[in-house]
Amino acid sequence: RGPLRSTLPPVTAPAWSTFMTGVNPGGHGIFQWRTYDPTTYTNVNENVVTAARIAGTTFWDILGQADHQAAAICVPVTYPPWRVNGFLLSGYPCPDTKRNFTYPEAWGETLAQSYNFSADYFLNASEEEILSKGLAMLKQRTDMVLELARQQELDALVLVLGEIDRAQHDFWQYRDPRFPQYGCQRAQKFGDAIDRHYEVSDTQVGRLLELADDDTFILIMSDHGGGPHPTRDVYPNAWLREMGFLVQKREQPSPVSRLIRRGIGTVRRVLPFEERLRRLLPASLVHRARSYHMDLDMVDWPHTRAYHFPMYHPAAGIEINVRGRQPQGAVQPGAEFERVRNEVMDALRAARDPETEEPVATEIFRREEIYSGPFLEIAPDIVYITGPRHYAEKGLPEIWAQPAPLAEMREYFGVHTMDGIFIAAGPGVRSSAELTGGTIADIAPTVLYALGQTVPQHMDGQVLTDIFEPAHLAAHPRRYAEIVLERQTAAGHTAQEEKEMRDKLRGLGYIT
């Protein structure tokens, strides 16, 4: 057992994509729920990522090419479903959470209920209902999987029990003394909500383990960790302004920007209305509203050399404003770009919160140090991990570091952390051993090795040899080869389904 380091950023879409493929985000191109686009100053386009980029390249696809039958149940970023040797039930986001999206399609029609996240109950339901439905879904998914395993000969089974993540996002406020809600009457009811999700999940794992015999390789992992929202907000664009890398053209937001900010604040207090309104607006208008909401209209772009590239806590990015790449680039590519990037990184290493004297960034990378592959160019030029008490926010306030408004949060009482969990057992696995240095990219090659398969050379992850006994490694040497993957075409989806998926992700709090 041991910690398992997530992707940068440690958010569902890139983390599970890397889990499935053994490839870093620069290889599969999924960095967030939307596609990164550095040619626009909002840094994203409006398209929700789907399985189109990874269909046919997962470890269960590789097992299927070797005539092993597998089932992948509710793994995120597996919609639309594709042809597999076995069974695939798409995880979120799906456009319609009242139905199942499966391969084979006929199998989905035999299922008694939907097993997907419904954003509706996160948006509209009471906390009592959110808690009860989350706990119920853990058992219902396990019931369904056990029935499938009784009916089919499966060589591999992947099941995601994702309600733990939702619970820590929603209910951390009731268990953390820093939040104003701690100790209130509702805290007596929901203070143990996160623990209850772990307890019920643990029970379901126990039920699944009854399927295993002595020859079964078992792996339990999470795509990231969880913890409390930091107590301090930092505004990277305001810091970059103070350091002289960003130039602000006026002190206050424009009247249009102020109006949009007030409007967003109003509709967010009536969430169902906000979602219906977004469906009616064209993507270009939503994109423009996001620009105003981020105070991008206050930036003097032709004289700005670097700016904030929002990622997902605790990861954040900084982009250099390059001529020919950005709409109003100010930095020449080549030597000037490298000089400015180095200056920003040096300043970031020295950055301290004026009030606490704590470092703002704990790890700082050039993008090519952590990403590789055909999608490297859409990653931020600089990626860093914020300090444990700091949360990177959008906007251009006067003060770049200030207390986080914990009392005003609607989402993210709990946030993601870089380290998830890893537990393994089975043939040749060392008993009671501690794993160090494992990453989520290592899961796919390790699973393939444990099941006696050749590991594709294109995978970025490595077989976690430290979890195996030396005698097992000697008797079962690792095999690597160039494997030609039978890429699959995931079914397309309509523009309306695209909007519905965005709504689901907003309901889960993963996009704004």
Side-chain angles (χ1 to χ4, degrees):
R1 63 187 181 276
L4 189 73
R5 189 172 176 91
S6 185
T7 51
L8 278 171
V11 65
T12 306
W16 285 111
S17 299
T18 292
F19 156 83
M20 291 182 262
T21 64
V23 174
N24 80 92
H28 53 63
I30 299 175
F31 292 84
Q32 247 288 11
W33 286 112
R34 289 193 180 94
T35 302
Y36 280 175
D37 182 2
T39 66
T40 173
Y41 288 121
T42 61
N43 304 301
V44 294
N45 63 38
E46 291 302 316
N47 298 322
V48 174
V49 299
T50 70
R53 285 183 176 169
I54 59 175
T57 67
T58 68
F59 65 79
W60 56 80
D61 291 308
I62 296 169
L63 291 172
Q65 289 185 206
D67 294 326
H68 293 288
Q69 183 162 256
I73 309 299
C74 294
V75 183
V77 204
T78 53
Y79 171 84
W82 64 91
R83 180 173 60 87
V84 298
N85 183 21
F87 302 86
L88 173 64
L89 171 56
S90 294
Y92 71 88
C94 294
D96 183 357
T97 48
K98 295 180 180 179
R99 58 166 289 197
N100 295 303
F101 296 86
T102 65
Y103 181 88
E105 186 174 355
W107 170 58
E109 296 171 355
T110 69
L111 299 177
Q113 67 173 79
S114 170
Y115 294 94
N116 232 310
F117 277 116
S118 172
D120 297 337
Y121 72 80
F122 294 122
L123 290 172
N124 303 321
S126 65
E127 289 174 312
E128 287 84 356
E129 189 176 3
I130 292 173
L131 175 59
S132 64
K133 284 191 174 183
L135 295 175
M137 184 59 78
L138 293 168
K139 182 178 184 298
Q140 290 162 0
R141 283 187 184 172
T142 307
D143 289 342
M144 180 265 291
V145 165
L146 291 172
E147 181 63 24
L148 177 65
R150 281 191 287 268
Q151 296 175 358
Q152 304 291 333
E153 290 290 332
L154 298 176
D155 299 302
L157 168 65
V158 182
L159 171 63
V160 173
L161 300 174
E163 284 73 16
I164 292 174
D165 177 61
R166 191 66 239 169
Q168 64 95 15
H169 279 310
D170 285 337
F171 295 110
W172 204 289
Q173 57 175 324
Y174 295 122
R175 63 173 294 148
D176 191 331
R178 299 172 315 134
F179 286 95
Q181 298 88 340
Y182 178 80
C184 71
Q185 187 174 0
R186 296 190 70 76
Q188 299 175 18
K189 193 170 188 176
F190 299 112
D192 65 347
I194 298 173
D195 293 341
R196 290 174 64 186
H197 276 78
Y198 275 100
E199 291 162 0
V200 173
S201 297
D202 203 44
T203 299
Q204 307 319 307
V205 170
R207 297 174 65 203
L208 292 166
L209 290 179
E210 294 177 1
L211 297 174
D213 57 24
D214 291 341
D215 293 326
T216 303
F217 177 69
I218 301 158
L219 194 153
I220 301 168
M221 49 74 65
S222 68
D223 62 318
H224 52 72
H229 194 289
T231 57
R232 301 281 294 170
D233 282 342
V234 293
Y235 293 82
N237 271 348
W239 173 79
L240 287 164
R241 177 190 61 202
E242 186 167 307
M243 295 294 104
F245 296 107
L246 181 145
V247 178
Q248 186 170 327
K249 62 185 178 184
R250 60 173 170 267
E251 293 301 319
Q252 298 294 330
S254 68
V256 173
S257 179
R258 288 197 298 270
L259 180 63
I260 288 176
R261 277 182 169 273
R262 283 198 298 269
I264 290 174
T266 300
V267 299
R268 282 188 164 188
R269 288 192 287 272
V270 192
L271 270 174
F273 169 73
E274 178 193 18
E275 299 309 318
R276 289 195 293 269
L277 177 63
R278 286 179 187 267
R279 286 179 184 233
L280 298 174
L281 297 177
S284 59
L285 186 56
V286 174
H287 187 83
R288 194 176 310 139
R290 178 176 296 109
S291 176
Y292 283 121
H293 184 60
M294 295 169 64
D295 288 339
L296 300 185
D297 62 316
M298 295 171 62
V299 179
D300 181 353
W301 291 110
H303 298 96
T304 288
R305 294 181 294 161
Y307 58 94
H308 176 45
F309 192 121
M311 297 182 76
Y312 195 94
H313 180 80
I318 294 176
E319 189 79 348
I320 309 303
N321 193 23
V322 178
R323 289 177 185 163
R325 181 177 68 177
Q326 273 75 27
Q328 302 178 64
V331 176
Q332 289 286 5
E336 186 181 5
F337 163 81
E338 290 296 348
R339 177 177 59 77
V340 172
R341 181 162 67 162
N342 288 336
E343 289 176 0
V344 174
M345 293 177 69
D346 288 342
L348 192 56
R349 291 186 189 99
R352 297 292 184 272
D353 185 323
E355 184 171 314
T356 68
E357 293 298 324
E358 295 171 313
V360 170
T362 57
E363 298 180 54
I364 305 169
F365 308 94
R366 294 174 177 83
R367 66 180 180 185
E368 58 269 26
E369 293 176 323
I370 51 174
Y371 305 126
S372 61
F375 298 97
L376 171 66
E377 296 301 315
I378 68 174
D381 295 318
I382 300 168
V383 178
Y384 62 99
I385 299 175
T386 57
R389 292 182 59 193
H390 293 96
Y391 190 97
E393 280 282 10
K394 308 178 188 75
L396 261 174
E398 183 179 350
I399 300 173
W400 68 266
Q402 50 190 281
L406 299 181
E408 299 176 12
M409 290 182 185
R410 297 177 316 112
E411 302 151 351
Y412 303 131
F413 298 106
V415 296
H416 294 181
T417 58
M418 285 302 302
D419 287 337
I421 64 167
F422 175 93
I423 306 169
V429 175
R430 297 166 59 202
S431 178
S432 301
E434 294 283 345
L435 172 70
T436 60
T439 76
I440 198 167
D442 300 328
I443 299 297
T446 299
V447 168
L448 291 173
Y449 169 77
L451 298 182
Q453 301 302 304
T454 299
V455 177
Q457 290 179 339
H458 75 266
M459 286 187 173
D460 300 307
Q462 302 296 315
V463 176
L464 294 171
T465 55
D466 288 350
I467 74 171
F468 296 102
E469 296 285 356
H472 181 87
L473 294 169
H476 302 86
R478 288 164 288 167
R479 303 194 310 273
Y480 294 88
E482 291 186 14
I483 295 179
V484 178
L485 299 175
E486 299 175 1
R487 294 195 66 94
Q488 299 293 315
T489 300
H493 57 276
T494 67
Q496 179 63 26
E497 289 172 334
E498 172 85 16
K499 290 183 178 180
E500 289 172 354
M501 286 194 292
R502 287 200 295 269
D503 291 347
K504 301 298 181 289
L505 290 168
R506 290 189 187 99
L508 293 167
Y510 282 125
I511 63 174
T512 57

